[in-house]
Amino acid sequence: MIIRVALPLPIWDFFDYESDFDVRLGERVLVPFGKRKIVGYCIERDVKSNFRNLKKVFEKIDAFPLLTDNLFKLACWMKEHYFVSLGMALKCILPPNLYSRRKKFECDILKKKEKTESSINFYFGSQREIFEFARRIFSKKISQGFKIIAIFPTKEEVEKSLKLFEDLNFSVFHSDVPKGKRLKVLFDFLNGNVDVVFGTRSAIFLPSYRRCVIALFDAHNFSYREEQHPQYWTEDVAIKRSEIEGWEFFGFAESASLKEYFLVKNDHAKVLSKDEKTRFKYEIVDSGDQNFGISPYLLGKIKQALSERKKVVLFFQKGGWATSMRCFFCGNVLTCLKCGKILSVSRGELYCFKCKKYFPVPERCPKCKRKKLKNRGLGREHICYYLRKKFPDVFINSTGLDFSHAEKEKIVKDFEDGRFSIFITDRSFFEIENWQDVALFGVLDGDFFMHKNLWNCEEITFLFFSEIRNFFKDIDIEVLIQSQISSQIVKEAFENKEVFYEKQIEIRKKFNFPPFARFLKFSVKEKFAKQVYRIVKKKAFEVTDLEKDEEGRVSFLSKIEKIPEFSQNLKKHISIVEL
């Protein structure tokens, strides 16, 4: 028998192999490729090959297909939507190394798939409201015979959520779970032995022939973006899979993104929550006149809260002592030699947030070899230092750049126990449960996201303040935001969301921004750059000029509705990333 195999490589071609095994569609096989052995995916059988002297399949990995017909359809959609080879899309869905030679699992595959209608649902609210609603939905759906895939942005969030659903019959699926146990969870879910699987983004690809619900928590979290190819967004894939399978999708978040609002407005999705009034009071003050990130007005509010023996929480996104270090003479900003990221200054050393490593501060600039290196930008450690000088009798603490999740949890507990009165933090403030003695919550830089080079910085700012609104809506607290350019967005997030959505939709439609188009970065081998550029330019709303990078490839940005068709030869030399 001759089978056609897709390999988990960035290669658009398929390969024919001769097999002595009875290989079905969707099963994995171990095959020779050059001088190595590689696990591939059978995508066609009984092939009439144009090649002679075909290499033989070494081994059949699966006893039956773990790639269902609908998962194969999903892989084909990912191939087109994210412009990757079919083998890379299949690798994402079913990793080649997820198998066991020691233990063979059995599968009781249903003869006929249970039919259901697809539905896309969103629930927006505070974390407490979301989990209360999720518990009710899970119990209801399980009683109706549904199975549930519950997805969280991080492994820590998965473990934390288990306490809230401990009465359910569940399993856990993420990268920290040993490979053998993950494989067992996969088969348990396929056989219907568990009702719920809690996992990170990879759990979205669990195979099943039963009626299922996909529940996506904290839907806008950036951890849902896959960094390797295909660089998919989990929410997009989850919604598409629900449509293909006829499943129900529930997206949980503090507020709707523009994309979600657009789906609801066009009757492609439903909102199951109602917006409620808030208890907290808020003020927006000009951040122009400030010292070490704190305006005189905010400083007065801090003094007032401390005089009433109350506590203060200050949110500031940037950690460390300074955000970067640069040469006074040549302006060179110090970066990590390994990953190229800008190094922060923390605890008297340089710190790479991506590599999680400290480096000593060099005596001279690596570029011009002169001695004068200066700190640049403000971090939480520096603000801590300033406030300790202002309030020498008050205990103050902050979260650090290199703090683990456990260390942050300990600091939060110490704050709740009253061991310090001013807490300067990143998003760890969402972990605080007891706000009874906290009088003031301050956002030191309400324009933080607006300063980033992002096309959707206004939406990100809006979603962040919507999250704050929902978090504090049942808490009697004063919220003070320092801002110069985001005050209108903050007001709309707190008071009138509909105005923001309609205004943004109108602007994006006029200028062909998402969801009306896609921002794509094309990277092409120099020899084919002009040819690809001409093809894209014909289909795109707008394209930038060609730019050559250090690797000798040529790149350009495009605003386009759909990726154009390219010949098989051109595809090999193109890579595309969605911005």
Side-chain angles (χ1 to χ4, degrees), residues 462 488-497 499-500 503:
F462 173 81
Q488 187 59 36
I489 297 174
V490 175
K491 287 176 184 176
E492 289 166 356
F494 283 174
E495 296 176 11
N496 198 338
K497 297 181 179 182
V499 171
F500 175 83
K503 188 166 60 179

Side-chain angles (χ1 to χ4, degrees), residues 429-574:
F429 74 85
F430 285 115
E431 305 298 322
I432 300 172
E433 295 178 1
N434 181 10
W435 289 85
Q436 190 174 354
D437 297 325
V438 183
L440 177 67
F441 175 80
V443 178
L444 301 189
D445 186 5
D447 306 324
F448 173 77
F449 297 109
M450 299 294 284
H451 296 148
K452 289 182 169 287
N453 187 25
L454 298 169
W455 66 267
N456 58 343
C457 57
E458 289 186 351
E459 182 185 1
I460 295 171
T461 301
F462 173 81
L463 290 174
F464 172 69
F465 284 108
S466 296
E467 191 174 5
I468 287 177
R469 177 195 182 275
N470 283 327
F471 184 78
F472 287 116
K473 70 180 180 183
D474 296 325
I475 300 171
D476 188 11
I477 194 173
E478 185 174 359
V479 175
L480 197 148
I481 297 132
Q482 295 186 150
S483 172
Q484 279 189 304
I485 58 177
S486 305
S487 56
Q488 187 59 36
I489 297 174
V490 175
K491 287 176 184 176
E492 289 166 356
F494 283 174
E495 296 176 11
N496 198 338
K497 297 181 179 182
E498 197 76 19
V499 171
F500 175 83
Y501 290 129
E502 288 300 328
K503 188 166 60 179
Q504 285 289 313
I505 289 291
E506 186 180 342
I507 292 169
R508 292 189 181 196
K509 187 175 182 180
K510 183 178 179 180
F511 294 103
N512 296 310
F513 274 47
F516 302 98
R518 299 171 71 188
F519 282 125
L520 302 177
K521 182 180 180 180
F522 287 77
S523 179
V524 193
K525 195 172 180 180
E526 188 175 8
K527 182 181 176 181
F528 304 95
K530 289 184 179 179
Q531 186 182 352
V532 172
Y533 188 76
R534 283 195 299 269
I535 295 171
V536 174
K537 197 172 182 179
K538 286 180 183 178
K539 300 287 184 180
F541 296 112
E542 193 177 342
V543 291
T544 61
D545 294 332
L546 296 170
E547 289 185 7
K548 193 172 180 180
D549 58 25
E550 295 175 357
E551 297 176 358
R553 293 176 70 86
V554 175
S555 62
F556 62 93
L557 305 179
S558 74
K559 196 193 293 179
I560 195 167
E561 191 173 352
K562 188 180 178 183
I563 297 173
E565 290 288 333
F566 296 104
S567 67
Q568 198 74 2
N569 183 50
L570 274 182
K571 282 180 180 179
K572 301 173 184 178
H573 309 289
I574 305 170

Side-chain angles (χ1 to χ4, degrees), residues 332-504:
N332 177 46
V333 178
L334 301 189
T335 56
C336 178
L337 295 175
K338 186 177 180 181
C339 69
K341 294 289 183 183
I342 294 174
L343 296 170
S344 299
V345 182
S346 179
R347 303 183 185 184
E349 292 186 287
L350 298 172
Y351 181 75
C352 178
F353 184 75
K354 187 175 182 180
C355 299
K356 309 288 184 188
K357 286 185 178 180
Y358 279 97
F359 304 95
V361 177
E363 289 185 9
R364 297 175 182 271
C365 170
K367 190 174 181 181
C368 70
K369 308 302 179 186
R370 294 185 181 180
K371 273 194 170 182
K372 209 169 182 179
L373 294 171
K374 292 281 188 179
N375 292 335
R376 190 180 183 186
L378 192 66
R380 288 190 291 271
E381 290 177 19
H382 211 153
I383 296 169
C384 243
Y385 171 78
Y386 169 72
L387 288 176
R388 281 172 184 149
K389 288 181 73 176
K390 286 287 181 184
F391 306 104
D393 299 327
V394 176
F395 288 103
I396 303 169
N397 207 346
S398 69
T399 50
L401 273 172
D402 58 343
F403 282 25
S404 65
H405 185 73
E407 288 172 318
K408 288 182 179 181
E409 278 188 338
K410 185 180 184 306
I411 289 176
V412 167
K413 189 177 185 308
D414 288 345
F415 179 72
E416 289 181 322
D417 294 342
R419 295 184 182 177
F420 56 95
S421 301
I422 299 178
F423 185 22
I424 307 164
T425 181
D426 53 7
R427 292 179 62 89
S428 301
F429 74 85
F430 285 115
E431 305 298 322
I432 300 172
E433 295 178 1
N434 181 10
W435 289 85
Q436 190 174 354
D437 297 325
V438 183
L440 177 67
F441 175 80
V443 178
L444 301 189
D445 186 5
D447 306 324
F448 173 77
F449 297 109
M450 299 294 284
H451 296 148
K452 289 182 169 287
N453 187 25
L454 298 169
W455 66 267
N456 58 343
C457 57
E458 289 186 351
E459 182 185 1
I460 295 171
T461 301
F462 173 81
L463 290 174
F464 172 69
F465 284 108
S466 296
E467 191 174 5
I468 287 177
R469 177 195 182 275
N470 283 327
F471 184 78
F472 287 116
K473 70 180 180 183
D474 296 325
I475 300 171
D476 188 11
I477 194 173
E478 185 174 359
V479 175
L480 197 148
I481 297 132
Q482 295 186 150
S483 172
Q484 279 189 304
I485 58 177
S486 305
S487 56
Q488 187 59 36
I489 297 174
V490 175
K491 287 176 184 176
E492 289 166 356
F494 283 174
E495 296 176 11
N496 198 338
K497 297 181 179 182
E498 197 76 19
V499 171
F500 175 83
Y501 290 129
E502 288 300 328
K503 188 166 60 179
Q504 285 289 313

Side-chain angles (χ1 to χ4, degrees), residues 132-173:
E132 285 177 0
F133 180 80
R135 280 186 60 82
R136 293 197 301 272
I137 284 293
F138 284 12
S139 299
K140 179 182 175 182
K141 293 299 176 183
I142 289 169
S143 68
Q144 294 173 350
F146 284 80
K147 302 300 177 184
I148 296 168
I149 301 173
I151 305 169
F152 292 83
T154 63
K155 293 169 278 190
E156 291 79 14
E157 290 292 321
V158 171
E159 297 302 326
K160 182 181 173 183
S161 69
L162 298 182
K163 299 173 186 176
L164 303 170
F165 299 98
E166 57 188 1
D167 56 322
L168 301 178
N169 174 24
F170 68 85
S171 290
V172 176
F173 190 91

